[in-house]
Amino acid sequence: MSTEVRPISRTGLAWRVVVALLGIGLLVNGSLRMSDDVWPFGPMSQYAFSPPADDTIVITRVEGRLADDRRVELPLRVSTAGISRAEIEARIPTIVADPSLLRGVVEGWSSRHPAEPAVRQVWLVQDVTQLSRGRPTGASRQELATWTVPR
Amino acid sequence: MTGLRRVVGWFAPVLPDARVAVLRTVLYLFVLVDIHLFVADPIPLSRHPELYQPLLLERLFHLPPPNPVITTRLYAVLVVGSLVAAANRLPRLAGFVVAAAFTWWTAIGMSYGKVDHDHLAFVVALWLLPTVGVVRGRWRSREVSAQAGWVLKSVQIAVISTYFLSALTKIRSGDWSLTSWPNSFILTWAIVRRPHGLGQFLLPFPGLLRGMQWFAFLAELTSLVVLWLRGRALLLAALFWLGFHVFTAAILYIHFAPTLVCWLAFAPLERLPGWWDRRRASRAARATSAQVPAS
């Protein structure tokens, strides 16, 4: 079994080293100075912040009232509502200002649950967990916005 | 001059082309897994133009706002392109088409408020793999090259950067302090927000969680060492990080699969085809010797 070395020119080597150095430079710059906006060269900011021992932790959810008066959760996952929790959370101030933006969740959920009755009203709610010296204590619930689906 | 040669040799070591050929097959097939399991939402998301917030990349290249026609076509391009490229056919054309389409697809998935950080090495790999060009003999190539070595080394650097840079980001976000992140209550926060994993059993023990944060932080900070390991030490390091991901998946439901698959750039994948051929040959030999009675 013989191995052969494929030839490579000086230019070929030079641009490769330059590209590698540039890439490393962009990545370090992104981590030290930039935001998520410069993806894929942005900072690795997932879970990179430092919550204090008495932090307030919120989980955002969407609940809906159906035509048969049942109140159900519209789980914020792509497979169930066409949109995920993180995407809704990133838009909370916008949704509070204009609750009709919840239309996307209603339509996403309804199209994936054709057997369920129509959604009449939706609420944007948060479960709030309070930390005390690093341990979760009580949990409560707050309503941020509501939107009545026009018939 | 020798110093320069050593730098060049480090960035572009001479490595088997066959490793690139096998890695291509694995990574392009992983594109298909990825667009169905991990970045699976661009088509449904593209029905919500009111929530679209383009990233710098999309603004820079004046990419049109996504709609279902665009995302469905991107999906089709990705499926066809990945299958062609996984077979090591048209490596440059199919490879660059997949790289561009996957980058756009993933950018769309991250343009609705949430940006993930597990795709760095994978995106780097997709853009660099085509530069190796045609690998003669594909998986069974006998050639070695700096072209292949540069791609493999760059993917390795991108994998390790994912860890090292996340330590840097933690230091930055903690106001340039080395202790603020590991001493924080980030794991408690993460577990409360994702209450379905094994992590909920750890919530009553904030001291233990803090110890785990220190461990993870120090591992990330020292991860650069992996780029200089070889042989058994490298294998142990790879197993350590694999274990790390299994652990975070178990307590938080967070996987880094697109980064994990890129760890294969460290592995001697070029040995797989030979090993497979020998196995088949010895099976065939045993089958024939069983039929012919020994004289």
Side-chain angles (χ1 to χ4, degrees):
Chain A
M1 159 163 174
S2 62
T3 52
E4 274 177 54
V5 181
R6 237 205 301 170
I8 186 166
S9 67
R10 259 165 192 262
T11 332
L13 279 175
W15 74 252
R16 283 176 167 84
V17 174
V18 170
V19 167
L21 290 172
L22 269 179
I24 292 172
L26 278 174
L27 279 173
V28 172
N29 177 60
S31 286
L32 296 183
R33 300 179 47 223
M34 296 294 159
S35 71
D36 273 345
D37 188 42
V38 301
W39 182 90
F41 293 105
M44 304 283 157
S45 48
Q46 258 173 327
Y47 297 100
F49 59 102
S50 307
D54 55 355
D55 200 18
T56 307
I57 306 171
V58 296
I59 302 177
T60 308
R61 299 187 293 109
V62 169
E63 292 178 358
R65 184 172 53 81
L66 307 184
D68 60 5
D69 253 3
R70 266 185 304 144
R71 188 153 168 158
V72 297
E73 167 137 28
L74 313 184
L76 293 176
R77 288 191 300 271
V78 172
S79 57
T80 47
I83 195 156
S84 66
R85 187 168 81 186
E87 269 114 19
I88 293 294
E89 286 189 323
R91 293 288 187 289
I92 288 175
T94 332
I95 296 174
V96 169
D98 177 11
S100 73
L101 286 171
L102 291 170
R103 176 196 304 272
V105 179
V106 174
E107 286 172 356
W109 187 83
S110 299
S111 68
R112 285 168 183 79
H113 300 79
E116 293 281 0
V119 179
R120 293 282 182 240
Q121 190 180 1
V122 277
W123 290 265
L124 182 67
V125 301
Q126 283 183 327
D127 295 332
V128 184
T129 303
Q130 184 63 43
L131 288 191
S132 168
R133 285 196 273 165
R135 287 187 174 81
T137 57
S140 61
R141 182 175 166 286
Q142 60 185 40
E143 266 181 38
L144 299 182
T146 180
W147 180 61
T148 310
V149 185
R151 301 213 184 186
Chain B
M1 191 62 210
T2 50
L4 183 65
R5 194 167 292 175
R6 277 181 61 181
V7 171
V8 173
W10 191 80
F11 278 108
V14 174
L15 290 172
D17 282 8
R19 189 185 301 188
V20 165
V22 176
L23 192 64
R24 274 178 178 159
T25 302
V26 176
L27 294 192
Y28 289 122
L29 290 179
F30 190 86
V31 167
L32 299 178
V33 176
D34 199 315
I35 62 176
H36 289 105
L37 287 185
F38 308 136
V39 187
D41 49 359
I43 295 178
L45 283 177
S46 68
R47 297 198 180 97
H48 300 284
E50 75 283 5
L51 295 176
Y52 178 64
Q53 276 187 342
L55 300 168
L56 177 66
L57 183 82
E58 291 156 316
R59 302 195 302 272
L60 213 58
F61 289 93
H62 298 287
L63 298 177
N67 59 47
V69 176
I70 291 179
T71 46
T72 313
R73 284 189 188 158
L74 263 181
Y75 174 84
V77 167
L78 280 169
V79 170
V80 176
S82 303
L83 288 174
V84 174
N88 275 283
R89 312 264 165 183
L90 301 174
R92 281 209 176 86
L93 178 67
F96 281 125
V97 166
V98 169
F102 186 83
T103 305
W104 192 10
W105 172 270
T106 309
I108 291 173
M110 302 194 181
S111 296
Y112 294 81
K114 175 147 185 282
V115 175
D116 291 324
H117 304 92
D118 53 353
H119 276 80
L120 171 64
F122 195 65
V123 169
V124 167
L126 291 184
W127 279 103
L128 301 190
L129 281 173
T131 64
V132 181
V134 174
V135 171
R136 263 185 291 161
R138 299 196 185 100
W139 293 4
R140 289 170 178 77
S141 165
R142 297 233 191 280
E143 290 188 319
V144 292
S145 69
Q147 288 91 325
W150 175 70
V151 169
L152 295 164
K153 178 68 94 177
S154 302
V155 176
Q156 295 171 2
I157 293 172
V159 168
I160 299 307
S161 296
T162 307
Y163 306 112
F164 179 71
L165 294 177
S166 75
L168 274 196
T169 307
K170 284 161 185 152
I171 296 171
R172 172 188 170 188
S173 79
D175 233 359
W176 307 106
S177 142
L178 282 171
T179 54
S180 67
W181 187 85
N183 278 339
S184 77
F185 292 84
I186 183 67
L187 271 178
T188 304
W189 185 90
I191 294 168
V192 168
R193 299 242 316 158
R194 294 184 164 232
H196 308 295
L198 293 175
Q200 53 179 319
F201 300 109
L202 302 176
L203 276 183
F205 311 105
L208 175 66
L209 290 171
R210 202 183 268 197
M212 285 159 55
Q213 287 164 205
W214 270 104
F215 183 74
F217 179 67
L218 292 175
E220 286 174 346
L221 206 54
T222 53
S223 59
L224 283 183
V225 180
V226 177
L227 289 173
W228 282 271
L229 298 181
R230 286 154 178 268
R232 188 157 297 185
L234 178 58
L235 177 65
L236 285 175
L239 290 175
F240 168 80
W241 282 103
L242 180 68
F244 178 86
H245 288 296
V246 169
F247 192 70
T248 51
I251 66 167
L252 290 176
Y253 272 18
I254 292 172
H255 68 83
F256 257 57
T259 307
L260 266 182
V261 72
C262 290
W263 269 95
L264 289 174
F266 285 96
L269 299 173
E270 63 278 6
R271 294 187 202 160
L272 280 178
W275 170 81
W276 177 248
D277 291 346
R278 281 194 301 280
R279 229 176 84 115
R280 273 186 27 187
S282 70
R283 265 206 200 152
R286 248 180 291 150
T288 31
S289 65
Q291 283 166 6
V292 182
S295 54

